[in-house]
Amino acid sequence: MNHPTRSAWAAGTYAAELRAAVAADPAAPVKAGVQGAGGYGKSTLLAELAAIYQAAGIPVRRAVGSPAAHGSGGHGAGGDGSGGHGTASHGSGAHGTAVPPPGTASYGTAVPSPGPAAHGSAAPPSGTAAHGTAPPGTAAAPWDSRDAAGSPAPNPRDASGEVLLIDDVDRLDDTTLFLLRGIAEKPGARVIVTYRPGPRSHALGELLGALGTPVLLSGLGRDDIARRLPRPAPPEWLDWLTAQTGGVPRFVDRVLTALDPDRLGLPELPRMALEQFHHDFDQLGRAGRACAVAMSLGAAPHPDVLASLLDLEPGSAAQGLAAIRASGLVDDHDVPLPIVRQAAQVLTPLEHRLRIVRRLVEAQLARGGPVLALVRPLLNAQVALLPEETLAAAFAKGADEALGECPELAVRLLDAAVAAGAPASKVAARKARAAAANGELDEALRLADKVVVDETAPDRALGVQVAATVLAHRGLLAQAADLCHWSVSHLRWPGDTACAAVGLIATGRLADADGVLSGPRDSGPPTSLSGAAVKLAEGVRESVTGAASTALSTLVRAASLSDPVGRTALLPDTPAAIAAIVGLHCGELDVAESLLSRAIESSTGGPLLSNRHRLLAACVHLVRGDTVSARTKLEAVHPEAARDRLLATAIEAGIANRDNDMTALTAVRGQARQAVAEHSPDLFSLLPLGELVVATARLRDQEWVQPHLREARALLADLGDPPLWTSLLSWKCLQAAVILEDLDTANRHAAELDRLAQHNPMSAAMAEGARTWLEVLAGRVDHDGAERAARGLHAAGLAWDGARLAGQAALHTPDRKAMLALLECARALQGKQPRPRAVDGDLLSDREREVAQLVLAGLTYKQVGKRLFISAKTVEHHIGRIKQRLGSRSREELLDRLRELVGPGE
């Protein structure tokens, strides 16, 4: 639709320049060919140019090319915005038989008429190209009509002083085109024509060559559309409308004209705007309309494909496709614009659409091609006209295609397959897989169990995979391992041996795992996924029996094999996740972070394992002591499975512990109890268990976690206390003992860490740190030794632990110089710059800075006095003076200000 008040062509920069040039000097010679598909505002541009010339007193002759004059009729509607009546006009005097569609710019309004005959009934002479009745080669030129007063028009060969404005020049016959070329080549000529993109005849090419570089009309952008609105609209809605309409001015105007102002911003196309496409489709002709509907339903834009699908002659299909392209209904890739697709479906009877879809589906199923785009629109439609078998097969195949990107859609498609006649048992395993991927773990396990116990059900092996995966996500890895172990003997599937072995090892049953691994290998071909499974089992076994570096290297290779193909694979856990956990246990945090970043980017494991990867990435930051990044990543995750809830709760508790936020730590206590109760201990849950052991010690509420800790200890004992898995848990237990000032327990864990020190650098750093902690608790602080141990922990990846050791050593030393040096060491290990003493000195004295540092560390006034050999009353006096000097109105405000000056307590 073209509105006189809206310059549709103004979106094209070159069109704007042409208009500006004409307005600046109407008398200047001008030759231009304006190219644009239907709806881009060619007619509006010519109307505005005509108005400029006539306002300057320059005669204008205008015409519209006739489809019949060209002989093909392939382009459909004549005149952009006029509805294609093929009517010639002189000035503004459109003859009375041509009535523009509502809302378009008629010639009578766009160009002022010198006489009342502008709306009269004077018709062009019989046989002129305006009526499209003259055969090619004999038709009079389109401007050879009568002028506004009814007098015969001057001969075109004597067009000096006039401006020729020809719309849809590509529809003229060769004789007329050659005649126009001659006029355009004359010195001082003023000729402006418009044409649609598409194949060109030799005569049209010669004319356009004489006119020079074409003026290209482009679609509207977001800012252009915004300027057409009565009030501002959300940017996302403007982007949506641009995508729906392709920025085609006519389509944009249809939506804006039909839009209820109260619904501005809602992503919905008005029915009235869609109804106006009746005209566009009618102008394409029968073959063109059929092709447009078929393409909107998913047919390939190829003449042979469309001819076969619609029972058309190839030539008719080719003409129809050319008309569609010329009408602006498709994008640069011949894909119908979204508004065109919706209009085609709204304006085409359901039974006609279903017949086309049926043939498309049958063709795609026969060749093994994708069908999702074809069947998705049918989910809410009445589809009784389609054969049940064909429809059921198409819905089921569409579900397989949707699984990786949208498992919820896959579930709906499988339900539709059953509704179309597929036996429920035939798709039960696939529906269980889709439900699991969609996070519906209870429904997935229910369906999978039914499949596994039904010996006649197809895809029983898939049922086992689903059940094992769900059990692992629910924190029941032992049960998942038992199921996979049974499957190895009764129901083989690729990767069953590896999954069984990993689960058995992780739950303390190494001998059973060795028995599985020594048995028959998978019978399937050695694919990337099966190779990843084998490497995964080897890496997990090595983590228990061998070197940490070898285990991690093997697991990294497993992750590399699974990344390209793991998006739709159903897995209890991914190689990337397990490799990252091993990296966290041996201090290879950079490796863990890299693995998790790749897994998140490639969506390894699909939506079901996305939360796990993101939570483990937060764990990496937590271990480093970067609580800000850890919290940011945690807040982006919404864990639902028990395994994910345990990890998320532990991260939340770890952040509160490191930030010394007792309020937050207390708030997470209830969640922690439930999360631990839901999850059975296994190797891969030791990290969150260790965090909760420390958190409960801070709360003096450790009794409830002890049974779970004893289970974990028993599991490790069954595996021979493997150093890689035992060290970090022992370190966390040591931290809890330090908090509780339980020297006997601290000594026991320190001895265990010393025994494990030779396994990997992180174990060695923790062993040295444990010895230093014992010295600190005994009041024997060796400045050099404490700093060396703290820096060793930092180098092993435990940055926060190193900073805490240095800070606590500073609090326990009577040597003031050593205390200050250790506090600076703690700041440096946290990545902070040394305190600028000259600046701090302006606000706090050395003694006040010492008091502030200890108070921020959580010590009471009495404890601070003991460390500094002053009374509690003196400490209180120092704090009062600091509060007054800093202008703090509350204790919270004072603590915040002190953190800015001296950093958080160590």
Side-chain angles (χ1 to χ4, degrees):
M1 242 181 183
N2 295 309
H3 299 277
T5 58
R6 294 175 177 169
S7 300
W9 53 268
T13 302
Y14 297 107
E17 292 176 355
L18 172 63
R19 184 182 184 282
V22 170
D25 187 4
V30 61
K31 295 182 288 184
V34 181
Q35 175 181 300
Y40 278 81
K42 302 186 300 297
S43 299
T44 302
L45 173 60
L46 291 186
E48 294 186 348
L49 293 175
I52 293 172
Y53 279 120
Q54 290 194 340
I58 298 175
V60 176
R61 293 191 177 273
R62 295 178 57 191
V64 179
S66 168
H70 198 282
S72 69
H75 285 175
D80 185 37
S82 69
H85 295 283
T87 306
S89 63
H90 174 84
S92 60
H95 62 74
T97 58
V99 182
T104 60
S106 69
Y107 293 153
T109 57
V111 184
S113 171
H119 297 282
S121 58
S126 175
T128 66
H131 288 286
T133 57
T138 62
W143 57 85
D144 192 12
S145 60
R146 296 179 180 270
D147 62 18
S151 302
N155 190 303
R157 293 172 178 79
D158 187 23
S160 59
E162 296 182 331
V163 178
L164 295 181
L165 304 178
I166 314 297
D167 204 359
D168 288 333
V169 73
D170 49 307
R171 301 181 181 189
L172 297 177
D173 61 74
D174 288 353
T175 300
T176 306
L177 291 172
F178 281 121
L179 182 59
L180 274 174
R181 174 192 165 192
I183 295 173
E185 290 177 340
K186 290 181 179 180
R190 285 176 290 197
V191 179
I192 302 175
V193 305
T194 71
Y195 59 97
R196 300 190 179 201
R200 303 172 184 173
S201 65
H202 173 71
L204 178 59
E206 290 288 324
L207 170 61
L208 297 181
L211 295 175
T213 303
V215 175
L216 302 177
L217 298 180
S218 61
L220 301 174
R222 186 174 76 176
D223 294 340
D224 303 307
I225 296 175
R227 284 192 288 270
R228 293 169 175 245
L229 295 171
R231 64 173 186 268
E236 58 272 14
W237 184 82
L238 293 171
D239 290 336
W240 170 82
L241 182 58
T242 304
Q244 290 290 313
T245 61
V248 177
R250 179 191 296 174
F251 303 158
V252 171
D253 284 344
R254 283 180 182 174
V255 174
L256 299 184
T257 301
L259 186 65
D260 183 346
D262 293 335
R263 303 186 69 81
L264 180 65
L266 297 179
E268 58 185 21
L269 295 171
R271 173 79 184 209
M272 185 182 298
L274 301 176
E275 298 252 355
Q276 294 183 54
F277 280 87
H278 266 306
H279 175 76
D280 299 86
F281 294 147
D282 287 343
Q283 293 300 310
L284 297 175
R286 185 187 70 83
R289 178 165 191 150
C291 290
V293 172
M295 290 166 61
S296 296
L297 294 172
H302 191 281
D304 292 342
V305 173
L306 293 170
S308 174
L309 178 68
L310 302 171
D311 296 324
L312 297 172
E313 293 295 328
S316 297
Q319 285 188 353
L321 187 56
I324 292 169
R325 291 166 176 159
S327 298
L329 300 175
V330 294
D331 63 16
D332 294 339
H333 305 287
D334 284 344
V335 176
L337 299 173
I339 191 173
V340 175
R341 289 201 304 270
Q342 189 168 338
Q345 297 192 28
V346 167
L347 302 179
T348 305
L350 176 62
E351 59 272 17
H352 180 61
R353 285 188 281 128
L354 290 178
R355 282 195 294 271
I356 295 175
V357 171
R358 172 188 175 181
R359 300 190 69 170
L360 286 170
V361 165
E362 289 173 341
Q364 289 296 89
L365 289 176
R367 71 179 63 159
V371 298
L372 178 58
L374 299 175
V375 298
R376 185 172 186 171
L378 300 180
L379 281 175
N380 299 317
Q382 297 294 324
V383 292
L385 296 181
L386 280 175
E388 291 184 354
E389 184 178 354
T390 299
L391 182 60
F395 277 134
K397 189 173 187 303
D400 292 340
E401 297 170 20
L403 182 63
E405 296 291 338
C406 186
E408 185 273 336
L409 176 61
V411 172
R412 293 177 58 202
L413 288 165
L414 290 169
D415 286 338
V418 173
S425 60
K426 184 177 180 180
V427 299
R430 292 154 77 183
K431 185 178 177 183
R433 177 177 60 181
N438 196 41
E440 303 172 35
L441 300 185
D442 291 341
E443 174 68 3
L445 189 58
R446 183 187 68 81
L447 291 170
D449 281 348
K450 290 177 64 176
V451 171
V452 173
V453 300
D454 183 359
E455 295 185 358
T456 64
D459 297 326
R460 286 182 72 207
L462 179 58
V464 173
Q465 288 179 267
V466 173
T469 297
V470 172
L471 288 170
H473 279 263
R474 294 178 68 172
L476 303 172
L477 188 56
Q479 287 79 359
D482 290 339
L483 182 58
C484 292
H485 194 183
W486 171 84
S487 180
V488 170
S489 303
H490 299 84
L491 195 63
R492 299 307 304 268
W493 45 275
D496 56 357
T497 299
C499 285
V502 169
L504 290 169
I505 294 171
T507 52
R509 294 174 282 177
L510 181 59
D512 291 342
D514 286 341
V516 169
L517 292 173
S518 63
R521 293 286 184 176
D522 297 339
S523 57
T527 64
S528 296
L529 206 55
S530 64
V534 171
K535 289 293 180 187
L536 177 62
E538 292 176 356
V540 172
R541 190 182 188 285
E542 184 69 21
S543 74
V544 171
T545 62
S549 57
T550 304
L552 184 59
S553 177
T554 304
L555 290 170
V556 168
R557 289 197 293 272
S560 297
L561 284 170
S562 67
D563 278 348
V565 293
R567 182 179 181 84
T568 58
L570 196 66
L571 304 166
D573 214 340
T574 63
I578 294 177
I581 293 172
V582 169
L584 285 165
H585 275 267
C586 66
E588 295 290 349
L589 303 190
D590 290 340
V591 174
E593 186 173 34
S594 175
L595 287 167
L596 293 168
S597 296
R598 272 207 329 259
I600 292 169
E601 183 178 354
S602 62
S603 298
T604 302
L608 184 59
L609 282 155
S610 174
N611 279 343
R612 182 151 177 81
H613 293 144
R614 296 179 188 278
L615 287 169
L616 287 171
C619 258
V620 174
H621 292 292
L622 181 68
V623 171
R624 284 176 171 152
D626 183 359
T627 57
V628 174
S629 297
R631 186 180 299 281
T632 299
K633 290 188 176 294
L634 178 62
E635 289 173 349
V637 178
H638 304 285
E640 296 180 2
R643 182 171 66 182
D644 293 340
R645 284 198 300 272
L646 173 64
L647 190 52
T649 303
I651 294 170
E652 192 170 353
I655 292 172
N657 178 39
R658 286 160 175 79
D659 286 347
N660 201 29
D661 188 345
M662 297 304 295
T663 301
L665 199 57
T666 302
V668 83
R669 175 171 21 193
Q671 302 173 35
R673 287 193 178 211
Q674 181 177 352
V676 172
E678 290 176 340
H679 199 292
S680 298
D682 58 57
L683 291 180
F684 310 137
S685 65
L686 296 179
L687 186 64
L689 179 61
E691 285 294 337
L692 293 176
V693 166
V694 177
T696 55
R698 289 290 303 274
L699 295 170
R700 301 301 192 269
D701 185 34
Q702 66 274 17
E703 288 78 12
W704 67 266
V705 82
Q706 292 305 311
H708 304 284
L709 182 58
R710 285 194 292 271
E711 286 186 67
R713 282 291 187 180
L715 185 155
L716 290 169
D718 290 340
L719 295 171
D721 288 323
L724 185 144
W725 297 104
T726 305
S727 296
L728 190 56
L729 184 61
S730 294
W731 174 255
K732 292 297 182 182
C733 291
L734 172 76
Q735 301 304 306
V738 168
I739 292 169
L740 297 171
E741 298 184 354
D742 183 349
L743 295 182
D744 291 340
T745 301
N747 274 289
R748 187 172 70 252
H749 290 301
E752 184 174 38
L753 286 167
D754 195 58
R755 177 177 60 83
L756 304 172
Q758 302 305 313
H759 185 262
N760 61 73
M762 186 175 181
S763 295
M766 288 188 292
E768 185 177 8
R771 290 191 295 271
T772 304
W773 269 114
L774 294 180
E775 294 294 321
V776 169
L777 292 176
R780 300 187 299 270
V781 178
D782 174 15
H783 166 224
D784 293 336
E787 183 167 340
R788 183 173 58 253
R791 293 190 181 280
L793 288 168
H794 181 276
L798 300 173
W800 181 83
D801 297 73
R804 180 170 181 269
L805 176 56
Q808 289 297 317
L811 300 181
H812 284 78
T813 180
D815 185 337
R816 181 174 177 277
K817 182 177 179 181
M819 180 187 73
L820 294 176
L822 286 168
L823 288 175
E824 289 300 336
C825 173
R827 288 180 59 82
L829 295 181
Q830 289 178 317
K832 300 171 183 175
Q833 295 295 324
R835 290 194 295 268
R837 294 190 177 277
V839 175
D840 286 353
D842 294 338
L843 294 175
L844 302 179
S845 67
D846 289 344
R847 175 61 77 183
E848 287 170 341
R849 191 181 305 109
E850 293 167 7
V851 169
Q853 187 72 55
L854 297 175
V855 168
L856 287 173
L859 274 68
T860 65
Y861 290 169
K862 184 177 179 180
Q863 291 171 324
V864 173
K866 182 180 178 181
R867 297 292 186 269
L868 300 180
F869 303 101
I870 58 178
S871 68
K873 194 69 176 175
T874 301
V875 174
E876 184 178 3
H877 177 67
H878 280 306
I879 291 296
R881 284 198 305 173
I882 294 171
K883 184 176 180 181
Q884 182 179 12
R885 189 177 305 132
L886 297 181
S888 302
R889 292 167 295 181
S890 65
R891 179 176 174 80
E892 290 73 18
E893 187 176 342
L894 171 64
L895 294 178
D896 289 341
R897 188 71 180 95
L898 288 177
R899 289 189 186 99
E900 294 176 4
L901 290 173
V902 300
E906 312 299 350

